[in-house]
Amino acid sequence: ASKSDHKGIFRFYNDELYQSIRSKLDAEEELRYAIAKKQFFMVYQPRVDTRTGDIRGFEALVRWQHPTRGIVPPAQFIELAESTGSIVPLGSLVMDCVFRQIAAWQNMGETPVPISLNISPRQLDAGGVDQQIKDLMKRHKVSADLIEIELTESVMMSEVPAVIDQITAIRQMGIKLHLDDFGTGYSSLSRLQEIEMQVIKIDRAFVSRLGTSSQADVLVKTIVLMAKELDMSIIAEGVETIAQLETLQHLDCDEAQGYLIAKPVTAPEARKLLQQRRIFMHAENDALPV
Ligand code: C2E
Ligand code: MG
Ligand code: MG
Ligand code: MG
């Protein structure tokens, strides 16, 4: 190859590297700006009693109201927020918003149900999450039974004393802990007892395989039985079909969450669901009036 070819190739790589660094910096900067400008809002997805459809709680999920790209889902920014540390100020916005929302519903006279919040490992690494929650509970007069925390298995496996301390402190305030995405991580079963989580959320991956093979059903059945033995309650995530719901009822899974029941909705829509108290999940099975 001639000298100029070489240079060309060299420059090509450099440009590509430069571009990728540049776009990551741009994305980081944009996210930081978005946090400063509070371009985020929360949506709420109900979870229901598998048998009756009674609403047992909502999960708060963040959305980015982007000025040009529209509504951006967390899959497109949470990872970046975690890797850059922006999840810490973003997590504060989220917590603040959710507590204000609970207080608002209380002030409107709604009978509240617990709202669960997702907390990333990085937020606990940064510290002070327990104190933040304590302050918010006090400021907004929200009792411990109205707020719940969702943690993934990676958090539960943390060996960092400060992380364990925060989780313990949160639990000691009377706040229930959910083990999110159960089955996708590497948690040891013994750890389940040590940290004393109250709720297991079976990951969508297992729920979506229900009915496709006997093994898939046995797996979920085993998780449900284990949860009951450990005195934990159990929520199935990502329920999309009536058949899945019926299998979950049959397996005695306590609660279900998923598009079949409801997609995550805005706060005003969540309030309507709250007033309705119950979601009818299989109207087609209802007996016709005589
Ligand atoms: P996650 O906590 O496991 O939340 C469940 C995700 O599954 C949500 O996606 C929800 O919209 C989606 N989902 C619910 N039902 C169904 C279904 O039937 N089918 C399918 N295909 N999907 C369903 P979302 O809102 O995009 O959130 C994705 C992830 O981003 C969450 O997973 C959570 O790990 C993270 N996340 C969301 N909000 C926050 C937040 O405020 N803070 C932190 N730290 N992480 C968040
Ligand atoms: Mg969750
Ligand atoms: Mg999950
Ligand atoms: Mg998840």
Side-chain angles (χ1 to χ4, degrees), residues 238-253:
V239 179
E240 293 183 343
T241 69
I242 288 283
Q244 288 165 0
L245 180 70
E246 284 173 352
T247 306
L248 292 163
Q249 287 170 338
H250 183 68
L251 297 179
D252 212 18
C253 176

Side-chain angles (χ1 to χ4, degrees), residues 26-72:
D26 285 346
E28 261 184 70
E29 178 57 31
E30 195 183 24
L31 186 56
R32 253 199 305 273
Y33 179 81
I35 294 167
K37 293 289 174 197
K38 302 189 177 180
Q39 292 170 357
F40 297 88
F41 66 101
M42 303 308 291
V43 288
Y44 299 87
Q45 188 179 31
R47 53 184 169 81
V48 298
D49 182 300
T50 309
R51 292 181 185 281
T52 63
D54 286 339
I55 297 173
R56 295 281 183 238
F58 287 93
E59 176 175 11
L61 298 154
V62 69
R63 296 289 181 267
W64 182 355
Q65 182 69 68
H66 192 281
T68 57
R69 280 153 64 200
I71 296 170
V72 181

Side-chain angles (χ1 to χ4, degrees), residues 42-43 45 59-63 73-75 77-78 82 87 90-91 94-95 117-121 123 150 152 180-181 201 203-204 237-240 244 257-264:
M42 303 308 291
V43 288
Q45 188 179 31
E59 176 175 11
L61 298 154
V62 69
R63 296 289 181 267
F77 62 88
I78 287 283
E82 282 174 345
I87 193 69
L90 178 59
V94 163
M95 283 192 265
L117 272 172
N118 292 281
I119 302 275
S120 297
Q123 291 173 261
E150 301 197 9
T152 56
D180 203 354
D181 303 342
K201 298 190 79 172
D203 193 72
R204 177 160 61 89
E237 293 192 281
V239 179
E240 293 183 343
Q244 288 165 0
Q257 189 180 26
Y259 293 170
L260 172 72
I261 296 133
K263 290 199 167 178

Side-chain angles (χ1 to χ4, degrees), residues 6-34:
H6 238 120
K7 249 170 135 179
I9 290 167
F10 188 61
R11 217 183 53 218
F12 169 76
Y13 281 125
N14 256 341
D15 279 355
E16 198 149 81
L17 185 61
Y18 175 80
Q19 282 311 329
S20 80
I21 293 171
R22 186 67 256 165
S23 63
K24 173 135 195 284
L25 285 174
D26 285 346
E28 261 184 70
E29 178 57 31
E30 195 183 24
L31 186 56
R32 253 199 305 273
Y33 179 81

Side-chain angles (χ1 to χ4, degrees), residues 61 89 170 186 188 255:
L61 298 154
I170 291 167
Y186 304 92
S188 80
E255 294 178 19

Side-chain angles (χ1 to χ4, degrees), residues 93-105:
L93 284 186
V94 163
M95 283 192 265
D96 198 64
C97 180
V98 169
F99 275 89
R100 279 188 289 115
Q101 187 63 66
I102 297 172
W105 281 330

